[in-house]
Amino acid sequence: SARRRMFPSPRPGAKPGELARNCPGCGLQHYPRISPAAIVLIHDGDRLLLARSPHFAPGVYSTIAGFVDPGESLEETVVREVREEVGVELRNVRYFDSQPWPFPHSLMVGFTAEYAGGEIVIDPTEIEDARWFTPHDLPRLPAQLSIARRLIDSFLERYGIAAPTDD
């Protein structure tokens, strides 16, 4: 496994397979930091809301994502990030899947949610464009290996539409 290749032998004082490091002074175990992030596909009937970050490859649109704040649930993160980045409200936030994301040490937790209202108003510090798309008028999409793409492909499958292949 990738984990075994990254951590082939136990750290001093750690159990085999443990990723923890032990403090030689007090013996306290320290585990690698993981920063959870939530990502969501927002849909309204046969439309899906996709956004474009200025950091994306030209023409690529994706789902909305953001890091979890301290004291916040994953579902609360989804609602907050969507409200902040595109200004719409959600209902029926549902878990979809998760994916380790090593940039730099994240766990992406995917959700789907229904559009509950509001007009798209982007946060220009994070998003350069956001709009509704139907399965028949999609822009360029994220790479197939990403959870964002799996969310989109799952939505398309519900409408019997084959997911486009990467360029």
Side-chain angles (χ1 to χ4, degrees):
S1 77
R3 179 179 158 174
R4 198 167 303 289
R5 284 190 304 274
M6 290 173 52
F7 303 96
S9 61
R11 306 286 187 263
K15 297 177 206 161
E18 279 284 338
L19 302 182
R21 297 200 120 177
N22 291 335
C23 173
C26 69
L28 182 65
Q29 283 190 318
H30 297 275
Y31 288 86
R33 179 178 155 199
I34 296 174
S35 299
I39 186 165
V40 61
L41 178 118
I42 304 158
H43 58 92
D44 181 28
D46 71 342
R47 304 184 309 161
L48 62 159
L49 179 60
L50 300 177
R52 180 167 162 65
S53 165
H55 307 292
F56 291 170
V60 171
Y61 282 72
S62 187
T63 54
I64 307 295
F67 287 100
V68 178
D69 284 345
E72 187 175 57
S73 73
L74 293 165
E75 294 81 1
E76 289 168 338
T77 299
V78 167
V79 171
R80 176 186 52 76
E81 284 290 337
V82 167
R83 193 177 289 144
E84 289 175 1
E85 293 186 9
V86 294
V88 301
E89 299 299 324
L90 304 177
R91 68 174 169 253
N92 296 327
V93 176
R94 303 268 187 236
Y95 174 79
F96 174 79
D97 198 5
S98 65
Q99 175 181 14
W101 199 252
F103 304 109
H105 39 66
S106 301
L107 174 65
M108 294 293 287
V109 183
F111 293 87
T112 62
E114 295 175 18
Y115 168 74
E119 295 297 316
I120 297 173
V121 178
I122 63 167
D123 172 357
T125 64
E126 303 244 2
I127 303 293
E128 67 180 28
D129 188 32
R131 61 179 100 150
W132 291 102
F133 294 93
T134 68
H136 300 288
D137 72 346
L138 293 171
R140 280 188 62 203
L141 299 174
Q144 289 177 312
L145 62 89
S146 68
I147 191 169
R149 182 58 180 271
R150 289 199 325 266
L151 281 159
I152 295 166
D153 290 352
S154 175
F155 176 84
L156 295 175
E157 287 171 15
R158 286 195 341 217
Y159 291 93
I161 297 170
T165 58
D166 286 341
D167 294 332

